[in-house]
Amino acid sequence: MSDNVTSNMQSFTDRFVEFSARIANQVHLRSLRDAFAGVMPIFILAGLAVLVNNVVFPWIFEGETLVRFKVWGEAIINGTLNIAALLIAPMIAWSLARNKNFGNPVSAVVIALCSFIIMMPMQVDMVPVGGKVAVSLTSILTFANIGSTGIFAGVIIGLLSTEIFIRIAQFKQLEINLGDNVPPAVSQSFSSLLPTIITLSLFAVFAALLSNLLHTDLIHLITTLIQQPLRLINTSLPGTLFIYSFGNFLFTLGIHQSVVNSVVLEPFLLINTNENMLAYAAGQPIPHIINNIFVPTFGMVGGTGSTISLLIAIFLFSRQKASKQVARLAITPGLFNINEPVIFGLPIVFNVPLMIPFVLLPAIGIFFAWVCTTLGLMSRCVVMIPWTTPPVLSAWLATAGDWRAVVVQLIIIVFGVFFYLPFLKISERVALRNNGINDQDA
């Protein structure tokens, strides 16, 4: 009976792993991960600009001099955070076209960018500086539409425009061939001429229908009907804990957590982050606790699963030579949140005792930090930092220099050591038993 149960469990696990691996390799999800990874350095630069403008410069300058120096950071914010959607749409187009082995991915980038602008509102109501009544303006682009608010619209338009363009470009009847006597760039341009005209015309027709029939635009429609409801669910405390924990569970099966988190969670957390950084730069109240700085800072200490606590537990309490050897190899990359050596070397993958704290500890850390922030015991995260920033420093930088956040992170690390400990002991005993070694001989 026991053998049958074990066999059924292994069969289910194998099928689940195979299914999850197929999802991980799905071309659209893979393209989204590639695109967001490509723009992440831009947002990290924006975070550093926010930190320098609002923490470093005020230490050194004041008055009119401070205002003049802050132009540096404000210019960077305008060129990064405030055009986030304008960046993400063509990046997704490039990634999708390349992952589909399309011969001319640059054309897909141009199509996505043009499609995104085509779907912008033709008229914008804005309140002049010092005024009280909104004025209707035409022929302008606003940071409100091409920045954080339009990120999800940029995602959809980037995917949709590229799919339509690639499918239309597959019709050989639409290809204009100028022969071999013209430069390749010119030849490629003309071969995609008709697919370009048809794709952009379709988006223009859709924009006209929305404007004339519903008196709205696609950016507003997506933001109102899709982005905001999803963001309320995904970036709520229960939603974040569930999605992030499920991604970590996949990692225990050998499938990187980014399969779930970078597609379902991070785009919405990134919107919260951008809004926090913009609010902090403008001296306004910080709107969000949960964002894509907060989650890794308190739920990924030392890497996915907060494994810095596991490494400390091994150094302090383990009697197994193999575990200590892995820990010695893993501690240096672990300080920079790179923990594949411990995940696959100890291993944690398919190691049932260690899978439990690997999934639960990040959720506990996020919840504890959320409670501390809600009670006003630490500041909200407002600075985008590189994911490789070491623990302690990461908490201090992410909150723009709040030492209380460092204390919260240290509490999570210490708690994690004792939370991992009993599961580590069980894992080591299982390993010894499987190898036919007694505890005394280890």
Side-chain angles (χ1 to χ4, degrees), residues 300-304 333-340 386-391 394:
M300 198 182 80
V301 190
T304 305
L335 290 175
F336 298 93
N337 301 321
I338 301 168
N339 63 344
E340 277 76 8
W387 64 272
T388 52
T389 305
S394 62

Side-chain angles (χ1 to χ4, degrees), residues 152-194:
F152 199 68
V155 169
I156 293 177
I157 293 172
L159 292 173
L160 188 59
S161 65
T162 306
E163 276 292 345
I164 293 173
F165 176 66
I166 289 176
R167 289 178 185 272
I168 294 176
Q170 290 174 347
F171 291 97
K172 296 297 182 183
Q173 300 89 333
L174 299 176
E175 187 175 312
I176 300 175
N177 191 350
L178 298 180
D180 299 329
N181 296 323
V182 297
V186 176
S187 179
Q188 279 190 338
S189 241
F190 274 87
S191 67
S192 62
L193 177 61
L194 291 179

Side-chain angles (χ1 to χ4, degrees), residues 311 314-315 318-330 341-342 345-347 424 427-428 431-432 435 437 441-442:
L311 295 178
I314 291 173
F315 283 125
S318 176
R319 293 186 300 154
Q320 198 173 86
K321 294 178 181 177
S323 296
K324 285 185 174 292
Q325 185 175 6
V326 171
R328 283 194 292 269
L329 293 172
V342 68
L346 198 59
L424 172 65
S427 174
E428 290 183 341
L432 291 173
N435 293 326
I437 303 174
D441 300 329

Side-chain angles (χ1 to χ4, degrees), residues 15-33 246 250 255-264:
R15 288 197 300 270
F16 184 78
V17 169
E18 184 180 349
F19 170 74
S20 300
R22 283 202 301 268
I23 293 178
N25 290 321
Q26 205 279 330
V27 65
H28 298 93
L29 300 184
R30 192 166 74 247
S31 300
L32 286 177
R33 293 197 301 271
F246 182 68
L250 286 182
I255 301 162
H256 204 283
Q257 48 85 16
S258 64
V259 170
V260 171
N261 293 334
S262 67
V263 177
V264 181

Side-chain angles (χ1 to χ4, degrees), residues 128-432:
V129 177
K132 296 181 180 180
V133 181
V135 177
S136 294
L137 301 174
T138 59
S139 303
I140 65 167
L141 293 177
T142 65
F143 285 146
N145 286 320
I146 64 175
S148 301
T149 305
I151 283 180
F152 199 68
V155 169
I156 293 177
I157 293 172
L159 292 173
L160 188 59
S161 65
T162 306
E163 276 292 345
I164 293 173
F165 176 66
I166 289 176
R167 289 178 185 272
I168 294 176
Q170 290 174 347
F171 291 97
K172 296 297 182 183
Q173 300 89 333
L174 299 176
E175 187 175 312
I176 300 175
N177 191 350
L178 298 180
D180 299 329
N181 296 323
V182 297
V186 176
S187 179
Q188 279 190 338
S189 241
F190 274 87
S191 67
S192 62
L193 177 61
L194 291 179
T196 297
I197 292 173
I198 295 171
T199 303
L200 296 183
S201 297
L202 288 174
F203 274 93
V205 168
F206 188 39
L209 290 174
L210 287 177
S211 178
N212 291 310
L213 298 181
L214 299 179
H215 306 291
T216 187
D217 60 272
L218 186 62
I219 309 298
H220 177 75
L221 211 59
I222 291 174
T223 302
T224 305
L225 299 182
I226 301 178
Q227 177 175 299
Q228 293 300 346
L230 281 177
R231 184 156 65 128
L232 287 175
I233 296 170
N234 289 18
T235 64
S236 66
L237 181 63
T240 298
L241 292 180
F242 174 77
I243 296 170
Y244 195 67
S245 297
F246 182 68
N248 289 349
F249 171 69
L250 286 182
F251 216 164
T252 66
L253 303 179
I255 301 162
H256 204 283
Q257 48 85 16
S258 64
V259 170
V260 171
N261 293 334
S262 67
V263 177
V264 181
L265 191 59
E266 285 188 10
F268 301 102
L269 292 178
L270 181 61
I271 295 171
N272 286 7
T273 298
N274 289 354
E275 290 180 357
N276 275 17
M277 288 197 288
L278 290 172
Y280 183 68
Q284 299 172 351
I286 310 303
H288 307 291
I289 293 178
I290 297 177
N291 53 51
N292 73 334
I293 314 167
F294 175 86
V295 169
T297 299
F298 300 101
M300 198 182 80
V301 190
T304 305
S306 293
T307 50
I308 194 73
S309 296
L310 173 59
L311 295 178
I312 294 172
I314 291 173
F315 283 125
L316 294 179
F317 302 107
S318 176
R319 293 186 300 154
Q320 198 173 86
K321 294 178 181 177
S323 296
K324 285 185 174 292
Q325 185 175 6
V326 171
R328 283 194 292 269
L329 293 172
I331 187 62
T332 300
L335 290 175
F336 298 93
N337 301 321
I338 301 168
N339 63 344
E340 277 76 8
V342 68
I343 289 174
F344 296 100
L346 198 59
I348 294 173
V349 173
F350 289 107
N351 186 336
V352 175
L354 290 180
M355 287 167 66
I356 296 171
F358 185 88
V359 174
L360 292 181
L361 180 58
I364 294 171
I366 292 169
F367 178 75
F368 177 68
W370 179 86
V371 170
C372 290
T373 309
T374 302
L375 296 176
L377 301 178
M378 60 175 263
S379 301
R380 302 189 178 197
C381 293
V382 294
V383 177
M384 177 76 84
I385 57 175
W387 64 272
T388 52
T389 305
V392 178
L393 181 62
S394 62
W396 187 78
L397 288 175
T399 53
D402 187 354
W403 63 268
R404 298 173 301 173
V406 174
V407 174
V408 170
Q409 193 182 60
L410 287 173
I411 291 172
I412 293 170
I413 293 173
V414 173
F415 170 81
V417 171
F418 294 98
F419 188 68
Y420 261 112
L421 184 58
F423 298 100
L424 172 65
K425 292 295 185 182
I426 294 171
S427 174
E428 290 183 341
R429 288 179 182 175
V430 170
L432 291 173

